[in-house]
Amino acid sequence: MPRFSIIVPSHGVAGRLSQALDSVLGQSFGDLQLIPVCDAPDAPAAAVAAGYAERDPRVTPVHSQPSAGLSGARNAGMRAATGAYLLFLDGDDLLLPGALAALDARLSEVAGVDVLYAEHERAPWWEGEPTNPAAPLLAGAPKGAFAPVELPELTGVQLPAWSAVYRRAFLTERELVFPEGLFTDLGWAGLVGVAAGRIAVLRRTVVRHRPRRQGSRLNLPGPHQHTLLDQVERVLSRAAGSALPAERTGPLFDQLFAVVLKTASRPERLLSGHRAFFRRAARLYRRHRPAGHRVPGGSLGVQHRLLAAGAYTAFRGLRGVNRAADGASRRLPRPRTLRTRLRYARDLRRPLDENLAVYCAYWGRGYACNPAAIHAKARELAPHIRSVFLVEAGQEHAVPRDVEYAVIGSRRYWEVLSRAKYLINNANFAEGVVKRPGSVHVQTQHGTPLKTMGVDQSTYPVVAAQSGSFTRLLGRVDRWDFNLSANRHSTQMWERAFPGSYEHLEYGYPRNDVYYTATAREVARIRRELGVPEGKTAVLYAPTHRDHHTGFEAGLDLEAFCAAAGEDVVVLLRAHYFYDRGRSRGSERIIDVTAHRSAEDVCLAADALVTDYSSIMFDYANLDRPIVVYADDWDVYRETRGVYFDLPAEPPGLVARTPGELAAVFRDGSYAGPGAAALRAAFRERFCQFDDGRAAERVVRRVLLGEPPEAIPAVIPLAERIPAPAAATLVRS
C-alpha cells in the first residue's frame, strides 16, 4: 500500500496537466500513487494521462463524466485510491518540491491524525508576489496532534481541499465523500472538520495554486450561486447531528455565513433570485445559529444582524450604496477657476473685517435653522456687525428681502469668506475655505444626535460610504472655535463624533427659542397660513432619512392613518429636507409642509408629533406637546445607521410598532394621556436642558460681542419655562 494517493482532476486543464503530474512524479519522496481523473478515454487530458501511465506504473488514470463535476471526479479518484493518505491537487496547480517528504515526516510525528492541514501559496496568474492565505489561520496551532476543540477556528471551511492530507481509513469509516454540486470544497471541508477527531498542522507550503486568468466559475453570475446554500445547509445539519460543543459550532457558523454574506452582497453574482437567496439564507441562519452566538464586529456584524432579521430591503441598500463619496462635502465648492483662486488668495492677505459675519445653513438651502436665529438676534443686539447669508444659486427667494446674501460659488461669496471675522454654519463651509488667524468659526449643529455622527459613522458602511473622507472631515472640524450644544448628551456625543480643540457652548439651540417666545396669536396665524382647518387636531408626521433607501418613502399610509385615527385628525407631512423638491404630496386631510421654509413654524402649528428617529423630536419636546414614536423598523435602522441610545426604551412618549397601533393611540386618546406625559417629562429633563428661549442671545453676547462666560445669561430651569401654547389649548379655552 503506497503512503500517498494524489488525485488530480483534469477537466479543462489539459494544457497544464503535464506540469501538475510532473510536480508529483518529480518529488524526492516516491512512495505514491498518482491518479489523474479524465473526462473520457478520448478526452484531450486522457491522452496526456495515458502517456504518463505507460512510462510510470505509479500512474493510474480513471474516468469521470464532466457532468459529475469536480466532486464526481474527486470521488472517482477516491474509489481508485489505495494509499494510506489522500491528497487532492487541481490539474493546473503544482506540488512544490519536497512537499511529500515534509508531509511524510510530519505524519510520522503526529501518527494517526485524521487530517493534516498544510499551507499553500497563491500565485497571481500574471504578475505579483505569491501570498500564503493559510498561514495566519494555522499560526496558532499546537505543536503536536490535537483535538479540533483546541483550535476551533480551524474548521477547514477557510481552506481548499488541496491544502490538507486525509487519512483514507478515516474517510472510509465516516463515509465521507465530496458533496455534489458546486462549492464542493466548502461542503467537503465542513463535513471533514465536523467528523475529525485528531488533527495536526504542517507550517510549510506544499501546493502552489495558480488561479486562471478567467477566474473561478464560482465567481461567475448565474443560478448556480444558489447551490452555495445547499452546501452550507449540509454542513450545519451534520454539525447539529454530531452534538459539537459550542466552542466549535460558533466558528463554523461564522465562517460559513461569511461566505454566504459575501455572495449575498454581490448582486453581480445573483442576476436573479437575490431575494429568494437572502430569505433562504436568513432561514438557515435562524435555524442553525448556536446558542449564545455573538455576531462579529464591524460591517460584517451589521450584515449578520440584517440577515438574522430577514431585512432584505435594508441589506439591499447596504450592498447597493454608492461607494463614491457623494456626501455634503462633495457639494461644497472650491475656487475652481484660476482667476477665482488668485483673487481668493489675494483677499486672504487683506485684513480681516472685524465687523463682518457670514452665515450659512444646510449647505446654502436658505435662511433657516440656528444660523438664521443667531442672525436675527445679532441684528438686534449687535447692529454694527454686517451680516451676509450664503445661499445656493436658485435659492435666493429663500432669503428674506431685507437680508444681505451672497450666492455660493460667486466672486462675492469667496470675497466675504476670505475677510469675515465670524463664520457661522450649521453644517460645514466649503473644503477650500481657509481658517484665517483671528477669525472665529461657530458650528451650530442642526439637531440632537440619536443616530451616529462624524467619525462614529466609520463602522456603519451605508452611511460611511456617503460621508467622504473622515480625514477631511476632521480637517474641517479643526476650523471650529465654538460648537453649540442643546443638552449634555449632545456635548458628549459631539466630543466623540467630532474630536477637536473647539469650545463647547452649552447654550441651547437658537432655533428653539421661538418655542418659548411665540404667542397664541402667532400659533393661530401659522396654522391659517399652512391651511390647518379650525378645530382640527394637526399631527405632524416627520420621518427621518434612511441611508439605505435611495428616495423618499413615507413609511406609513397617511390616508389610512387619518381614516383610522379619527375625523378630527389632519396630518402635516414634513419629509426630510433631502427630499424637498418643491412638489406637494398633499390631499384633503394631508398637508404637505416639506417645502415650508421654517421647521419651527410647522412644529408650532402641530398639536402632536409622530416621528420615527428624526431629531425633530428633541426640538419639539420643548413645546411639551404629545410625541409618538413610530418605530416599525428600529432594529434595521439601528444596525444600518448606528444610534447613541435605545430610543424605544427611553422614548418621549408612546411607541407604536405597526400602523394599527399608531392609529389606536390617537383614536383612544392615550397618545396624550398620563403615561405619555410621564415619558415626555423624563425625556425633556434629559434633552431640553439648555433650550429656554435665550440661546441666540447667549451666542451673540459671547461670540459677536465678546462678553465673558460669567456675564452670559444663565439657563432658566426647566420647571420655570413656559412653552408656546398649542392650538388645541386655545380651542378648549
Side-chain angles (χ1 to χ4, degrees):
M1 179 175 64
R3 180 71 157 167
F4 299 106
S5 288
I6 299 98
I7 300 167
V8 187
S10 62
H11 178 71
V13 293
R16 284 185 162 188
L17 179 59
S18 60
Q19 295 175 306
L21 300 181
D22 286 341
S23 73
V24 175
L25 296 175
Q27 292 287 313
S28 58
F29 186 91
D31 186 13
L32 61 88
Q33 176 192 27
L34 178 57
I35 308 175
V37 185
C38 308
D39 294 343
D42 57 349
V48 176
Y52 277 86
E54 291 176 0
R55 297 189 299 271
D56 194 321
R58 296 176 299 176
V59 179
T60 308
V62 298
H63 302 289
S64 176
Q65 291 297 323
S67 59
L70 179 60
S71 60
R74 286 174 171 169
N75 289 334
M78 290 172 64
R79 289 192 293 269
T82 59
Y85 292 92
L86 301 186
L87 285 80
F88 300 94
L89 185 70
D90 284 355
D92 48 1
D93 292 344
L94 304 175
L95 197 62
L96 293 174
L100 289 183
L103 289 169
D104 174 70
R106 183 60 172 157
L107 287 169
S108 298
E109 294 174 355
V110 292
V113 295
D114 297 325
V115 185
L116 174 65
Y117 294 101
E119 298 175 358
H120 65 273
E121 66 180 28
R122 181 181 177 89
W125 78 270
W126 179 245
E127 63 182 355
E129 292 296 321
T131 60
N132 187 343
L137 181 62
L138 305 183
K143 294 183 179 180
F146 58 97
V149 73
E150 295 180 58
L151 187 62
E153 294 77 18
L154 186 54
T155 66
V157 168
Q158 296 174 301
L159 297 173
W162 34 260
S163 196
V165 179
Y166 311 89
R167 185 166 62 88
R168 187 165 64 91
F170 156 70
L171 300 179
T172 302
E173 293 165 2
R174 297 302 184 97
E175 299 180 343
L176 291 170
V177 295
F178 282 86
E180 295 180 355
L182 297 178
F183 304 97
T184 188
D185 270 18
L186 183 73
W188 165 264
L191 294 174
V192 168
V194 168
R198 299 287 289 173
I199 60 178
V201 163
L202 172 63
R203 295 298 311 279
R204 172 173 172 163
T205 56
V206 298
V207 171
R208 174 173 296 157
H209 176 54
R210 301 188 295 174
R212 306 180 196 183
R213 179 186 180 190
Q214 61 271 37
S216 170
R217 182 188 174 191
L218 300 182
N219 296 330
L220 297 177
H224 64 271
Q225 295 290 342
H226 292 260
T227 64
L228 167 63
L229 299 180
D230 296 336
Q231 303 291 3
V232 171
E233 183 171 16
R234 183 176 286 114
V235 173
L236 290 174
S237 297
R238 181 70 62 88
S242 300
L244 294 184
E247 300 95 308
R248 294 188 61 190
T249 55
L252 177 65
F253 181 89
D254 283 341
Q255 291 171 20
L256 287 170
F257 275 96
V259 179
V260 171
L261 289 168
K262 184 176 181 181
T263 297
S265 63
R266 294 186 177 182
E268 67 274 11
R269 290 188 181 180
L270 293 163
L271 296 180
S272 62
H274 188 273
R275 185 185 294 272
F277 180 97
F278 186 89
R279 286 178 174 173
R280 183 185 173 195
R283 290 194 297 271
L284 287 175
Y285 189 100
R286 292 190 291 267
R287 184 188 313 151
H288 293 284
R289 183 177 182 178
H293 174 257
R294 297 179 61 184
V295 300
S299 61
L300 182 59
V302 175
Q303 295 181 57
H304 268 255
R305 293 182 174 93
L306 294 179
L307 185 63
Y312 173 75
T313 301
F315 190 91
R316 180 182 60 187
L318 175 65
R319 54 86 172 164
V321 70
N322 184 0
R323 296 295 177 179
D326 60 354
S329 62
R330 287 296 184 91
R331 299 194 296 271
L332 298 175
R334 290 174 177 272
R336 292 180 179 175
T337 67
L338 177 61
R339 178 177 296 180
T340 304
R341 288 196 295 270
L342 292 175
R343 186 178 294 115
Y344 182 56
R346 180 201 64 193
D347 289 340
L348 287 172
R349 293 192 294 269
R350 298 170 63 189
L352 283 175
D353 186 335
E354 297 290 329
N355 293 318
L356 176 61
V358 172
Y359 298 82
C360 188
Y362 299 117
W363 304 279
R365 290 184 65 246
Y367 189 81
C369 195
N370 292 319
I374 297 171
H375 173 274
K377 184 59 67 172
R379 298 174 77 177
E380 174 189 335
L381 299 181
H384 62 285
I385 293 182
R386 174 191 169 205
S387 299
V388 179
F389 229 90
L390 305 182
V391 64
E392 285 184 319
Q395 291 293 319
E396 295 90 340
H397 66 279
V399 180
R401 292 183 178 180
D402 60 344
V403 173
E404 185 179 354
Y405 67 85
V407 175
I408 292 177
S410 67
R411 173 178 176 178
R412 189 157 173 270
Y413 163 84
W414 289 107
E415 179 184 1
V416 295
L417 282 174
S418 68
R419 302 205 55 209
K421 166 78 171 184
Y422 307 101
L423 295 96
I424 301 167
N425 203 329
N426 74 349
N428 259 311
F429 286 101
E431 191 73 40
V433 172
V434 175
K435 173 71 162 71
R436 296 187 61 178
S439 65
V440 178
H441 284 240
V442 180
Q443 170 58 254
T444 74
Q445 303 293 349
H446 53 273
T448 290
L450 166 62
K451 58 191 177 186
T452 55
M453 303 294 290
V455 296
D456 286 342
Q457 298 171 350
S458 62
T459 56
Y460 296 89
V462 171
V463 67
Q466 299 176 345
S467 299
S469 166
F470 289 104
T471 300
R472 291 182 178 179
L473 169 65
L474 293 177
R476 295 190 290 272
V477 170
D478 287 341
R479 298 188 301 212
W480 303 354
D481 294 290
F482 298 106
N483 182 47
L484 285 189
S485 177
N487 44 66
R488 193 59 48 77
H489 162 80
S490 293
T491 303
Q492 295 169 352
M493 297 308 104
W494 297 146
E495 288 179 357
R496 283 180 41 180
F498 305 113
S501 57
Y502 52 84
E503 179 182 346
H504 287 286
L505 297 181
E506 293 183 322
Y507 289 172
Y509 278 160
R511 71 182 185 188
N512 293 342
D513 286 352
V514 69
Y515 296 144
Y516 295 98
T517 61
T519 65
R521 188 179 301 276
E522 289 171 319
V523 171
R525 174 185 57 79
I526 295 169
R527 285 171 67 94
R528 287 194 302 270
E529 292 176 354
L530 294 179
V532 179
E534 187 173 350
K536 295 293 186 180
T537 298
V539 177
L540 171 59
Y541 177 56
T544 193
H545 167 62
R546 300 294 198 279
D547 298 278
H548 56 279
H549 289 174
T550 56
F552 175 69
E553 299 179 22
L556 182 67
D557 186 334
L558 297 178
E559 294 286 359
F561 167 74
C562 288
E567 294 182 357
D568 66 329
V569 171
V570 296
V571 171
L572 302 175
L573 169 62
R574 188 170 182 84
H576 193 279
Y577 62 82
F578 285 175
Y579 308 117
D580 177 10
R581 299 294 182 267
R583 298 188 298 271
S584 175
R585 306 176 183 85
S587 66
E588 183 178 350
R589 295 183 64 182
I590 301 172
I591 305 171
D592 191 341
V593 294
T594 301
H596 190 77
R597 179 173 58 86
S598 171
E600 293 74 48
D601 281 0
V602 172
C603 288
L604 285 168
D607 299 300
L609 169 68
V610 173
T611 186
D612 41 24
Y613 325 118
S614 171
S615 66
I616 198 171
M617 73 179 78
F618 301 97
D619 305 311
Y620 192 84
N622 283 285
L623 290 168
D624 199 16
R625 301 178 190 175
I627 302 173
V628 179
V629 174
Y630 181 53
D632 63 325
D633 64 344
W634 168 252
D635 292 336
V636 172
Y637 185 83
R638 178 180 58 192
E639 296 303 329
T640 55
R641 186 58 169 86
V643 295
Y644 287 124
F645 68 94
D646 188 353
L647 177 63
E650 305 172 81
L654 301 186
V655 177
R657 296 280 188 172
T658 67
E661 291 179 2
L662 181 62
V665 301
F666 280 89
R667 191 168 55 248
D668 63 19
S670 59
Y671 79 99
L679 292 171
R680 185 169 69 252
F683 192 85
R684 295 183 74 233
E685 186 73 27
R686 180 179 180 186
F687 295 111
C688 298
Q689 286 175 285
F690 309 134
D691 288 331
D692 64 351
R694 302 188 68 180
E697 178 186 351
R698 282 189 279 268
V699 174
V700 171
R701 291 190 180 281
R702 176 68 192 283
V703 177
L704 301 183
L705 297 180
E707 296 182 6
E710 58 272 16
I712 304 303
V715 174
I716 300 172
L718 183 63
E720 299 177 17
R721 304 175 205 165
I722 302 176
T729 303
L730 299 178
V731 171
R732 288 194 296 270
S733 299

mmCIF file with all atom_site columns, all heavy atoms in Angstrom, residues 341-352:
data_model
loop_
_atom_site.group_PDB
_atom_site.id
_atom_site.type_symbol
_atom_site.label_atom_id
_atom_site.label_alt_id
_atom_site.label_comp_id
_atom_site.label_asym_id
_atom_site.label_entity_id
_atom_site.label_seq_id
_atom_site.pdbx_PDB_ins_code
_atom_site.Cartn_x
_atom_site.Cartn_y
_atom_site.Cartn_z
_atom_site.occupancy
_atom_site.B_iso_or_equiv
_atom_site.pdbx_formal_charge
_atom_site.auth_seq_id
_atom_site.auth_comp_id
_atom_site.auth_asym_id
_atom_site.auth_atom_id
_atom_site.pdbx_PDB_model_num
ATOM 1   N N   . ARG A 1 341 ? -9.199  81.552 -7.882  1.00 0.00 ? 341 ARG A N   1
ATOM 2   C CA  . ARG A 1 341 ? -8.203  81.123 -6.893  1.00 0.00 ? 341 ARG A CA  1
ATOM 3   C C   . ARG A 1 341 ? -7.210  82.237 -6.596  1.00 0.00 ? 341 ARG A C   1
ATOM 4   O O   . ARG A 1 341 ? -6.842  82.471 -5.442  1.00 0.00 ? 341 ARG A O   1
ATOM 5   C CB  . ARG A 1 341 ? -7.474  79.872 -7.389  1.00 0.00 ? 341 ARG A CB  1
ATOM 6   C CG  . ARG A 1 341 ? -8.325  78.614 -7.370  1.00 0.00 ? 341 ARG A CG  1
ATOM 7   C CD  . ARG A 1 341 ? -7.462  77.377 -7.481  1.00 0.00 ? 341 ARG A CD  1
ATOM 8   N NE  . ARG A 1 341 ? -6.760  77.292 -8.753  1.00 0.00 ? 341 ARG A NE  1
ATOM 9   C CZ  . ARG A 1 341 ? -7.235  76.697 -9.842  1.00 0.00 ? 341 ARG A CZ  1
ATOM 10  N NH1 . ARG A 1 341 ? -8.440  76.145 -9.813  1.00 0.00 ? 341 ARG A NH1 1
ATOM 11  N NH2 . ARG A 1 341 ? -6.532  76.636 -10.957 1.00 0.00 ? 341 ARG A NH2 1
ATOM 12  N N   . LEU A 1 342 ? -6.786  82.921 -7.627  1.00 0.00 ? 342 LEU A N   1
ATOM 13  C CA  . LEU A 1 342 ? -5.827  84.012 -7.429  1.00 0.00 ? 342 LEU A CA  1
ATOM 14  C C   . LEU A 1 342 ? -6.464  85.160 -6.647  1.00 0.00 ? 342 LEU A C   1
ATOM 15  O O   . LEU A 1 342 ? -5.837  85.748 -5.762  1.00 0.00 ? 342 LEU A O   1
ATOM 16  C CB  . LEU A 1 342 ? -5.316  84.508 -8.782  1.00 0.00 ? 342 LEU A CB  1
ATOM 17  C CG  . LEU A 1 342 ? -4.428  83.524 -9.559  1.00 0.00 ? 342 LEU A CG  1
ATOM 18  C CD1 . LEU A 1 342 ? -4.102  84.086 -10.939 1.00 0.00 ? 342 LEU A CD1 1
ATOM 19  C CD2 . LEU A 1 342 ? -3.151  83.237 -8.793  1.00 0.00 ? 342 LEU A CD2 1
ATOM 20  N N   . ARG A 1 343 ? -7.729  85.460 -6.957  1.00 0.00 ? 343 ARG A N   1
ATOM 21  C CA  . ARG A 1 343 ? -8.414  86.549 -6.262  1.00 0.00 ? 343 ARG A CA  1
ATOM 22  C C   . ARG A 1 343 ? -8.633  86.181 -4.791  1.00 0.00 ? 343 ARG A C   1
ATOM 23  O O   . ARG A 1 343 ? -8.477  87.012 -3.900  1.00 0.00 ? 343 ARG A O   1
ATOM 24  C CB  . ARG A 1 343 ? -9.744  86.845 -6.949  1.00 0.00 ? 343 ARG A CB  1
ATOM 25  C CG  . ARG A 1 343 ? -10.457 88.066 -6.376  1.00 0.00 ? 343 ARG A CG  1
ATOM 26  C CD  . ARG A 1 343 ? -11.757 88.347 -7.118  1.00 0.00 ? 343 ARG A CD  1
ATOM 27  N NE  . ARG A 1 343 ? -11.500 88.733 -8.495  1.00 0.00 ? 343 ARG A NE  1
ATOM 28  C CZ  . ARG A 1 343 ? -11.867 88.015 -9.554  1.00 0.00 ? 343 ARG A CZ  1
ATOM 29  N NH1 . ARG A 1 343 ? -12.498 86.873 -9.377  1.00 0.00 ? 343 ARG A NH1 1
ATOM 30  N NH2 . ARG A 1 343 ? -11.607 88.436 -10.774 1.00 0.00 ? 343 ARG A NH2 1
ATOM 31  N N   . TYR A 1 344 ? -9.007  84.914 -4.541  1.00 0.00 ? 344 TYR A N   1
ATOM 32  C CA  . TYR A 1 344 ? -9.215  84.466 -3.166  1.00 0.00 ? 344 TYR A CA  1
ATOM 33  C C   . TYR A 1 344 ? -7.908  84.528 -2.382  1.00 0.00 ? 344 TYR A C   1
ATOM 34  O O   . TYR A 1 344 ? -7.871  84.978 -1.230  1.00 0.00 ? 344 TYR A O   1
ATOM 35  C CB  . TYR A 1 344 ? -9.779  83.048 -3.172  1.00 0.00 ? 344 TYR A CB  1
ATOM 36  C CG  . TYR A 1 344 ? -10.092 82.480 -1.801  1.00 0.00 ? 344 TYR A CG  1
ATOM 37  C CD1 . TYR A 1 344 ? -10.947 83.133 -0.924  1.00 0.00 ? 344 TYR A CD1 1
ATOM 38  C CD2 . TYR A 1 344 ? -9.535  81.275 -1.385  1.00 0.00 ? 344 TYR A CD2 1
ATOM 39  C CE1 . TYR A 1 344 ? -11.245 82.621 0.318   1.00 0.00 ? 344 TYR A CE1 1
ATOM 40  C CE2 . TYR A 1 344 ? -9.825  80.738 -0.135  1.00 0.00 ? 344 TYR A CE2 1
ATOM 41  C CZ  . TYR A 1 344 ? -10.680 81.415 0.713   1.00 0.00 ? 344 TYR A CZ  1
ATOM 42  O OH  . TYR A 1 344 ? -10.969 80.904 1.947   1.00 0.00 ? 344 TYR A OH  1
ATOM 43  N N   . ALA A 1 345 ? -6.817  84.095 -3.009  1.00 0.00 ? 345 ALA A N   1
ATOM 44  C CA  . ALA A 1 345 ? -5.510  84.155 -2.348  1.00 0.00 ? 345 ALA A CA  1
ATOM 45  C C   . ALA A 1 345 ? -5.125  85.593 -2.032  1.00 0.00 ? 345 ALA A C   1
ATOM 46  O O   . ALA A 1 345 ? -4.563  85.881 -0.964  1.00 0.00 ? 345 ALA A O   1
ATOM 47  C CB  . ALA A 1 345 ? -4.460  83.501 -3.233  1.00 0.00 ? 345 ALA A CB  1
ATOM 48  N N   . ARG A 1 346 ? -5.449  86.484 -2.932  1.00 0.00 ? 346 ARG A N   1
ATOM 49  C CA  . ARG A 1 346 ? -5.158  87.904 -2.684  1.00 0.00 ? 346 ARG A CA  1
ATOM 50  C C   . ARG A 1 346 ? -5.986  88.437 -1.528  1.00 0.00 ? 346 ARG A C   1
ATOM 51  O O   . ARG A 1 346 ? -5.481  89.128 -0.636  1.00 0.00 ? 346 ARG A O   1
ATOM 52  C CB  . ARG A 1 346 ? -5.452  88.705 -3.953  1.00 0.00 ? 346 ARG A CB  1
ATOM 53  C CG  . ARG A 1 346 ? -5.192  90.215 -3.828  1.00 0.00 ? 346 ARG A CG  1
ATOM 54  C CD  . ARG A 1 346 ? -5.963  90.972 -4.877  1.00 0.00 ? 346 ARG A CD  1
ATOM 55  N NE  . ARG A 1 346 ? -7.408  90.823 -4.682  1.00 0.00 ? 346 ARG A NE  1
ATOM 56  C CZ  . ARG A 1 346 ? -8.315  91.183 -5.601  1.00 0.00 ? 346 ARG A CZ  1
ATOM 57  N NH1 . ARG A 1 346 ? -7.941  91.663 -6.763  1.00 0.00 ? 346 ARG A NH1 1
ATOM 58  N NH2 . ARG A 1 346 ? -9.612  91.036 -5.334  1.00 0.00 ? 346 ARG A NH2 1
ATOM 59  N N   . ASP A 1 347 ? -7.297  88.092 -1.515  1.00 0.00 ? 347 ASP A N   1
ATOM 60  C CA  . ASP A 1 347 ? -8.172  88.591 -0.458  1.00 0.00 ? 347 ASP A CA  1
ATOM 61  C C   . ASP A 1 347 ? -7.776  88.037 0.910   1.00 0.00 ? 347 ASP A C   1
ATOM 62  O O   . ASP A 1 347 ? -8.000  88.695 1.938   1.00 0.00 ? 347 ASP A O   1
ATOM 63  C CB  . ASP A 1 347 ? -9.625  88.223 -0.762  1.00 0.00 ? 347 ASP A CB  1
ATOM 64  C CG  . ASP A 1 347 ? -10.192 89.027 -1.925  1.00 0.00 ? 347 ASP A CG  1
ATOM 65  O OD1 . ASP A 1 347 ? -9.620  90.093 -2.234  1.00 0.00 ? 347 ASP A OD1 1
ATOM 66  O OD2 . ASP A 1 347 ? -11.187 88.581 -2.522  1.00 0.00 ? 347 ASP A OD2 1
ATOM 67  N N   . LEU A 1 348 ? -7.213  86.842 0.944   1.00 0.00 ? 348 LEU A N   1
ATOM 68  C CA  . LEU A 1 348 ? -6.777  86.266 2.218   1.00 0.00 ? 348 LEU A CA  1
ATOM 69  C C   . LEU A 1 348 ? -5.630  87.054 2.837   1.00 0.00 ? 348 LEU A C   1
ATOM 70  O O   . LEU A 1 348 ? -5.377  86.943 4.046   1.00 0.00 ? 348 LEU A O   1
ATOM 71  C CB  . LEU A 1 348 ? -6.356  84.806 2.025   1.00 0.00 ? 348 LEU A CB  1
ATOM 72  C CG  . LEU A 1 348 ? -7.486  83.799 1.785   1.00 0.00 ? 348 LEU A CG  1
ATOM 73  C CD1 . LEU A 1 348 ? -6.919  82.444 1.411   1.00 0.00 ? 348 LEU A CD1 1
ATOM 74  C CD2 . LEU A 1 348 ? -8.374  83.675 3.023   1.00 0.00 ? 348 LEU A CD2 1
ATOM 75  N N   . ARG A 1 349 ? -4.940  87.834 2.016   1.00 0.00 ? 349 ARG A N   1
ATOM 76  C CA  . ARG A 1 349 ? -3.834  88.657 2.543   1.00 0.00 ? 349 ARG A CA  1
ATOM 77  C C   . ARG A 1 349 ? -4.310  90.021 3.032   1.00 0.00 ? 349 ARG A C   1
ATOM 78  O O   . ARG A 1 349 ? -3.556  90.747 3.672   1.00 0.00 ? 349 ARG A O   1
ATOM 79  C CB  . ARG A 1 349 ? -2.764  88.831 1.470   1.00 0.00 ? 349 ARG A CB  1
ATOM 80  C CG  . ARG A 1 349 ? -2.036  87.542 1.108   1.00 0.00 ? 349 ARG A CG  1
ATOM 81  C CD  . ARG A 1 349 ? -0.803  87.816 0.279   1.00 0.00 ? 349 ARG A CD  1
ATOM 82  N NE  . ARG A 1 349 ? -1.139  88.360 -1.031  1.00 0.00 ? 349 ARG A NE  1
ATOM 83  C CZ  . ARG A 1 349 ? -1.350  87.626 -2.125  1.00 0.00 ? 349 ARG A CZ  1
ATOM 84  N NH1 . ARG A 1 349 ? -1.262  86.299 -2.045  1.00 0.00 ? 349 ARG A NH1 1
ATOM 85  N NH2 . ARG A 1 349 ? -1.639  88.195 -3.276  1.00 0.00 ? 349 ARG A NH2 1
ATOM 86  N N   . ARG A 1 350 ? -5.552  90.341 2.751   1.00 0.00 ? 350 ARG A N   1
ATOM 87  C CA  . ARG A 1 350 ? -6.106  91.599 3.217   1.00 0.00 ? 350 ARG A CA  1
ATOM 88  C C   . ARG A 1 350 ? -6.538  91.458 4.679   1.00 0.00 ? 350 ARG A C   1
ATOM 89  O O   . ARG A 1 350 ? -6.781  90.352 5.165   1.00 0.00 ? 350 ARG A O   1
ATOM 90  C CB  . ARG A 1 350 ? -7.291  92.005 2.348   1.00 0.00 ? 350 ARG A CB  1
ATOM 91  C CG  . ARG A 1 350 ? -6.917  92.246 0.887   1.00 0.00 ? 350 ARG A CG  1
ATOM 92  C CD  . ARG A 1 350 ? -8.154  92.414 0.031   1.00 0.00 ? 350 ARG A CD  1
ATOM 93  N NE  . ARG A 1 350 ? -8.935  93.583 0.415   1.00 0.00 ? 350 ARG A NE  1
ATOM 94  C CZ  . ARG A 1 350 ? -10.149 93.841 -0.073  1.00 0.00 ? 350 ARG A CZ  1
ATOM 95  N NH1 . ARG A 1 350 ? -10.713 92.999 -0.927  1.00 0.00 ? 350 ARG A NH1 1
ATOM 96  N NH2 . ARG A 1 350 ? -10.787 94.931 0.320   1.00 0.00 ? 350 ARG A NH2 1
ATOM 97  N N   . PRO A 1 351 ? -6.628  92.562 5.415   1.00 0.00 ? 351 PRO A N   1
ATOM 98  C CA  . PRO A 1 351 ? -7.021  92.470 6.831   1.00 0.00 ? 351 PRO A CA  1
ATOM 99  C C   . PRO A 1 351 ? -8.430  91.899 6.976   1.00 0.00 ? 351 PRO A C   1
ATOM 100 O O   . PRO A 1 351 ? -9.295  92.078 6.114   1.00 0.00 ? 351 PRO A O   1
ATOM 101 C CB  . PRO A 1 351 ? -6.965  93.929 7.308   1.00 0.00 ? 351 PRO A CB  1
ATOM 102 C CG  . PRO A 1 351 ? -6.102  94.624 6.313   1.00 0.00 ? 351 PRO A CG  1
ATOM 103 C CD  . PRO A 1 351 ? -6.314  93.939 5.005   1.00 0.00 ? 351 PRO A CD  1
ATOM 104 N N   . LEU A 1 352 ? -8.643  91.207 8.090   1.00 0.00 ? 352 LEU A N   1
ATOM 105 C CA  . LEU A 1 352 ? -9.987  90.737 8.404   1.00 0.00 ? 352 LEU A CA  1
ATOM 106 C C   . LEU A 1 352 ? -10.910 91.923 8.633   1.00 0.00 ? 352 LEU A C   1
ATOM 107 O O   . LEU A 1 352 ? -10.498 92.960 9.177   1.00 0.00 ? 352 LEU A O   1
ATOM 108 C CB  . LEU A 1 352 ? -9.976  89.872 9.666   1.00 0.00 ? 352 LEU A CB  1
ATOM 109 C CG  . LEU A 1 352 ? -9.479  88.437 9.557   1.00 0.00 ? 352 LEU A CG  1
ATOM 110 C CD1 . LEU A 1 352 ? -9.436  87.804 10.946  1.00 0.00 ? 352 LEU A CD1 1
ATOM 111 C CD2 . LEU A 1 352 ? -10.383 87.608 8.644   1.00 0.00 ? 352 LEU A CD2 1
#
